[in-house]
Amino acid sequence: PLSAAFAMLMAVPAHVVGWPIPRGGAQSITNALCSVLSSLGGKVRISSPVESLAASDNYDLFLCDLTPRQLVKVAGQRLSESYKRRLGKYRYGAAAFKVDYALNAPIPWKARECLRAASVHLGGSFEEIAASEKAVRNGQPAERPFVLLAQPSLFDSSRAPTGKHTAWAYCHVPNGSKVDMLEKLENQIERFAPGFRACVLARRVFSPADLESMDANLVGGDIGGGVMDIRQFVNRPTWRHYATSARDIYMCSSSTPPGGGVHGMCGYHAAKMALSRLKA
């Protein structure tokens, strides 16, 4: 039930300023952040895997954008045994089954409002959406999955060649699921936009395993950073929130409050805590 809080958090700013689309894709957000960091004298290193924090002792603070499993892997020798046991109890949540689309035309929605919507949530009735999510929670793929779909090229012409469009969609599946949900996912889109499949020029499918192979933090395909139930909603991932058992190591991933989403609040609050303790 508490996961509904995310819908409320997203709905408030969406009604105030609309649903933002980064021009040029999500990479533009990363580029902007890196530019600000560089202007302040910071350095960004890419393609430099950090296998262990032990090899990086010449820093005052470490803010790790990692889920508990990855934090133990790179900082285990620096963390107390009791803290590592707490992290070991952390539970990962439902996975995503995602598809990227190249289209020869805008999606032909039956509902006119959807023709000018950046994001569309497909589920029919409230009862149908609840049944879909309940099935996943019980470890079963949904027959009529709740589909989240974005069509950014309607607002950002740089996302596709002239006259063409892009879209992406995903549905929830059990963590680590190997079930191919492509047909069921597209049946839902076709249900609300007859003729959708005829618009598809190409598609790229990402199973939960594919997502994890791209980003080790997406354990079992979980894009939310962990189960969002009562226990882990309040206690993500432990009572320490951003701090760890090592005074110079902090966690700032979506496994910490307030959880997943493109909002930056996990890093913001972790940085404030780390700096306040550094000055103390």
Side-chain angles (χ1 to χ4, degrees):
L2 283 175
S3 62
F6 275 79
M8 294 298 296
L9 287 173
M10 292 179 178
V12 171
H15 280 82
V16 173
V17 298
W19 200 270
I21 295 291
R23 187 176 301 279
Q27 181 65 41
S28 63
I29 299 177
T30 300
N31 294 343
L33 292 171
C34 290
S35 176
V36 172
L37 182 61
S38 296
S39 72
L40 298 173
K43 295 181 180 180
V44 178
R45 295 181 182 178
I46 60 174
S47 301
S48 303
V50 178
E51 303 294 341
S52 172
L53 295 187
S56 305
D57 286 333
N58 56 329
Y59 296 100
D60 296 322
L61 294 172
F62 297 91
L63 277 75
C64 302
D65 187 9
L66 303 171
T67 69
R69 193 172 297 180
Q70 282 68 45
L71 182 64
V72 171
K73 182 179 179 181
V74 304
Q77 74 282 3
R78 305 273 296 274
L79 304 174
S80 70
E81 291 302 317
S82 61
Y83 183 71
K84 285 192 288 186
R85 283 195 295 271
R86 284 178 180 158
L87 295 184
K89 296 177 181 178
Y90 190 75
R91 293 165 295 123
Y92 292 90
F97 182 96
K98 182 175 183 285
V99 188
D100 289 341
Y101 290 101
L103 307 172
N104 63 14
I107 298 175
W109 301 107
K110 289 190 291 186
R112 292 180 58 189
E113 294 84 355
C114 295
L115 296 171
R116 293 298 298 168
S119 297
V120 182
H121 293 184
L122 307 175
S125 67
F126 176 88
E127 290 76 16
E128 183 181 318
I129 295 174
S132 169
E133 296 299 284
K134 183 177 181 180
V136 174
R137 191 169 64 250
N138 292 335
Q140 300 294 326
E143 286 301 314
R144 282 188 162 185
F146 174 45
V147 177
L148 292 86
L149 182 147
Q151 38 191 9
S153 59
L154 292 179
F155 305 91
D156 180 5
S157 60
S158 70
R159 303 288 189 102
T162 302
K164 303 297 189 289
H165 286 274
T166 58
W168 56 257
Y170 74 85
C171 66
H172 295 133
V173 294
N175 190 281
S177 173
K178 298 180 180 180
V179 176
D180 186 348
M181 293 292 290
L182 179 61
E183 182 176 2
K184 292 180 179 178
L185 182 148
E186 290 192 350
N187 284 345
Q188 281 287 71
I189 303 175
E190 189 79 23
R191 173 184 168 195
F192 298 103
F196 164 74
R197 283 190 174 97
C199 298
V200 177
L201 294 172
R203 59 173 65 80
R204 186 179 182 187
V205 177
F206 299 89
S207 68
D210 293 330
L211 294 174
E212 185 173 1
S213 70
M214 295 166 61
D215 184 344
N217 283 295
L218 309 184
V219 177
D222 176 5
I223 61 174
V227 171
M228 184 56 69
D229 59 11
I230 293 177
R231 176 153 58 99
Q232 289 198 166
F233 181 85
V234 177
N235 224 12
R236 290 173 75 90
T238 71
W239 63 273
R240 295 176 182 270
H241 296 319
Y242 312 101
T244 70
S245 59
R247 185 171 177 81
D248 59 344
I249 299 175
Y250 297 82
M251 194 187 312
C252 59
S253 69
S254 57
S255 296
T256 61
V262 189
H263 46 64
M265 289 296 98
C266 303
Y268 174 77
H269 292 303
K272 287 191 66 175
M273 173 183 282
L275 291 174
S276 67
R277 293 176 63 173
L278 186 64
K279 295 175 182 178

